[in-house]
Amino acid sequence: IPSLTSEIALIKMYGSEVLAISLNHENLDATSREEHKRRIEKETGLVAFYPLIDGCERAMDAVLCYMEREEKR
């Protein structure tokens, strides 16, 4: 399985930008979920979230920031 960072790099090669990472919480206890999320955020520098637990607000914030950046270009 390719690494998350290599997949993000591949997406960028196609001219798109990854803004956030949605995670699956299935089979993870609360402590493991948070550790996993923090590790991914540290590794990628992106917002990571469990949509069914956290909601999508942090992802929407990332989208809005991206839109503001693009408007200034």
Side-chain angles (χ1 to χ4, degrees):
I1 297 176
S3 72
L4 190 53
T5 53
S6 71
E7 292 299 295
I8 291 169
L10 180 62
I11 290 167
K12 285 183 180 183
M13 287 175 47
Y14 282 99
S16 294
E17 187 172 343
V18 176
L19 304 178
I21 300 171
S22 174
L23 303 170
N24 181 342
H25 69 279
E26 207 168 322
N27 299 321
L28 293 174
D29 60 48
T31 302
S32 297
R33 281 194 310 261
E34 291 309 308
E35 290 172 0
H36 185 65
K37 181 167 64 171
R38 279 193 294 274
R39 183 180 57 78
I40 288 175
E41 288 182 333
K42 184 177 179 181
E43 177 184 324
T44 65
L46 298 170
V47 170
F49 66 103
Y50 296 98
L52 298 178
I53 295 171
D54 301 331
C56 297
E57 186 173 329
R58 292 182 68 219
M60 286 307 303
D61 289 344
V63 170
L64 293 173
C65 285
Y66 171 79
M67 291 172 63
E68 287 175 14
R69 273 196 328 263
E70 287 300 303
E71 285 178 357
K72 292 178 183 177
R73 291 176 104 201

